[in-house]
């Protein structure tokens, strides 16, 4: 979903006062909302991803798809300490 569509959806979900407050507080900020059903904590997600990888049951592409990440991001997570 592009930014304009996301803002339109946000406007539909919030009342006018709340929408204006969000716009004022977060103006110029990029906000990422994780897909539902995925861990919201990056550290938790990364640990789960590493556990899956070291279990030997998943290929890199499978992990990228499972965790909704790019393949390059998946590699970076696996290479991190």
């Amino acid at each position: 979903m592009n930014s304009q569509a996301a803002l339109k959806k946000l406007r539909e979900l919030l009342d006018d006062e709340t929408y204006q407050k969000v716009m004022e507080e977060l103006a110029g900020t990029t906000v990422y909302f994780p897909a539902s059903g995925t861990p919201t904590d990056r550290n938790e997600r990364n640990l789960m991803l590493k556990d899956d990888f070291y279990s030997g049951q998943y290929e890199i592409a499978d992990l990228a798809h499972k965790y909704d990440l790019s393949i390059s991001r998946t590699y970076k997570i696996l290479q991190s300490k």
Side-chain angles (χ1 to χ4, degrees):
M1 176 180 301
N2 66 34
S3 294
Q4 288 180 341
L7 285 173
K8 182 179 179 186
K9 184 65 174 174
L10 190 61
R11 184 178 279 283
E12 292 170 4
L13 294 170
L14 301 174
D15 62 76
D16 288 337
E17 184 178 335
T18 304
Y19 179 80
Q20 288 302 319
K21 180 97 175 155
V22 168
M23 295 285 90
E24 290 169 13
E25 294 289 326
L26 300 177
T29 304
T30 301
V31 179
Y32 169 76
F33 295 98
S36 61
T38 60
T40 55
D41 180 72
R42 285 184 186 174
N43 291 329
E44 179 184 350
R45 179 207 58 201
N46 293 352
L47 288 173
M48 291 170 57
L49 187 149
K50 288 178 182 181
D51 286 346
D52 283 347
F53 177 74
Y54 291 115
S55 74
Q57 297 178 6
Y58 296 93
E59 298 290 329
I60 298 294
D62 298 328
L63 291 171
H65 179 73
K66 180 178 179 178
Y67 291 96
D68 196 27
L69 299 166
S70 68
I71 290 175
S72 63
R73 184 69 190 131
T74 303
Y75 275 115
K76 287 178 184 177
I77 292 168
L78 290 171
Q79 293 172 346
S80 68
K81 292 184 180 182

